[in-house]
Amino acid sequence: MRVRSRAVVAAGVVVAVVAVLGIWLVARQVGERLRLPLASRTCLVQADGQVRLDADQMANAATIAAIGTQRKMPERAVVVALATAYQESGLRNLDGGDRDSVGLFQQRPSQGWGTKEQIGDPRYAANKFYAALKRVRGWEKMRVTEAAQKVQRSAYPEAYQKWADESQVLTRALLGEATGAVACTVGSTPVMRGEAAAAALTRGLSLDWGLPETVSPAELTGLAVPTTDQRNGWRYAHWLVSHASDHGVKRVRFGGLEWTAEGGTWGRVADGPETDRRVVAEVFGDA
């Protein structure tokens, strides 16, 4: 009887091992298939620290930073705005939230922030946030969470502070204080292509940064942005990479470096002069 019990136990162990092995193999195979699309929309930001975002979060962060710069707000304001959007929406343009809250900053129509449709526009929402922050007396000397709370009046006033470090990294990169600091990988099937992608990209740059001088070079389907210095160049270059997924950007080149959608990283360009005062972007051509 004891021998039979041992045999049953042994058989059970074998079955369990086989089951675990089977589950592991299936998970590995499924995981390999799932990992590609997930990784294909990932952005890594490196500027005295690291932040990893998905494509939607990255695009929203880039727009928030650009609007702050267009409004001539100091760097600290961009940090506060990003930390607020991190906490309120996870840097996502949400359709709803607590009560009638909407958008990146979860602003409420009933509290005078605008209509639901207006607040659902990231540019409008960012502009409204910066306008409200500017009215706060002494916000520049406050902690990030205190400045954010003066605008948001949250039930959790200390919650914004935990995003201060990530927001500082994003701000340094998106305001051009680091070189090749935003690297995104995009999917193999772009959302937009050709002239439509180039037109949308040009319009986005104009609305976020206020750049009417953006021009389209003849040698490729895309655009070229004149710059006054390296810092401004990297602002635009990082914005273009941040919006690569939603605007079909295939390649961005500036300062002797090049980012490609295929590689997802920045690398040196052999024939690219570092003194070129243009940021050049190429979009995917028509299929």
Side-chain angles (χ1 to χ4, degrees):
M1 189 72 174
R2 186 175 299 173
V3 172
R4 183 178 178 182
S5 297
R6 288 176 179 174
V8 170
V9 171
V13 170
V14 171
V15 170
V17 170
V18 170
V20 170
L21 181 59
I23 292 171
W24 177 80
L25 288 172
V26 170
R28 182 178 179 182
Q29 290 175 356
V30 173
E32 288 298 324
R33 288 196 296 270
L34 292 177
R35 188 159 36 240
L36 290 175
L38 288 175
S40 69
R41 287 172 52 81
T42 299
C43 298
L44 178 64
V45 182
Q46 300 184 84
D48 293 337
Q50 289 190 358
V51 174
R52 192 177 296 275
L53 301 175
D54 67 25
D56 291 337
Q57 291 173 306
M58 193 71 243
N60 289 327
T63 289
I64 290 171
I67 294 297
T69 302
Q70 187 180 163
R71 293 183 63 94
K72 302 187 185 310
M73 297 293 285
E75 178 179 316
R76 180 72 170 176
V78 177
V79 175
V80 174
L82 287 170
T84 303
Y86 247 127
Q87 173 60 26
E88 295 291 351
S89 68
L91 288 171
R92 300 185 189 283
N93 192 25
L94 302 179
D95 291 333
D98 180 42
R99 287 170 283 188
D100 59 338
S101 298
V102 180
L104 288 171
F105 298 92
Q106 289 292 278
Q107 295 154 332
R108 299 177 59 193
S110 63
Q111 298 298 313
W113 288 98
T115 67
K116 181 177 181 180
E117 291 71 24
Q118 287 174 324
I119 299 170
D121 178 352
R123 296 182 183 99
Y124 175 93
N127 267 299
K128 294 292 284 186
F129 179 85
Y130 285 120
L133 179 64
K134 193 173 183 177
R135 291 194 294 269
V136 175
R137 181 175 299 179
W139 70 266
E140 300 92 338
K141 298 180 181 179
M142 297 177 183
R143 290 189 303 143
V144 167
T145 198
E146 292 168 349
Q149 174 64 3
K150 289 290 185 179
V151 176
Q152 299 296 110
R153 303 187 183 281
S154 169
Y156 306 96
E158 288 294 316
Y160 305 104
Q161 193 64 33
K162 63 176 174 285
W163 303 111
D165 291 343
E166 288 89 341
S167 298
Q168 184 66 58
V169 171
L170 288 173
T171 298
R172 284 183 53 79
L174 293 170
L175 296 191
E177 296 179 13
T179 298
V182 178
C184 299
T185 54
V186 301
S188 58
T189 305
V191 175
M192 307 180 72
R193 288 179 175 271
E195 292 183 6
L201 200 62
T202 301
R203 182 173 183 273
L205 266 170
S206 178
L207 290 173
D208 277 12
W209 293 100
L211 297 176
E213 69 272 24
T214 303
V215 296
S216 297
E219 67 270 17
L220 51 78
T221 302
L223 54 88
V225 188
T227 66
T228 56
D229 53 43
Q230 287 283 310
R231 185 180 184 186
N232 277 331
W234 282 113
R235 288 178 177 181
Y236 307 146
H238 289 156
W239 185 96
L240 288 162
V241 174
S242 298
H243 284 274
S245 182
D246 57 357
H247 285 77
V249 180
K250 182 179 181 181
R251 187 185 317 274
V252 177
R253 183 179 292 193
F254 179 67
L257 297 177
E258 180 181 74
W259 168 90
T260 64
E262 180 179 3
T265 58
W266 289 89
R268 188 153 298 279
V269 183
D271 60 345
E274 296 188 19
T275 56
D276 190 356
R277 291 300 181 92
R278 301 183 308 162
V279 180
V280 179
E282 178 183 359
V283 299
F284 284 92
D286 292 320

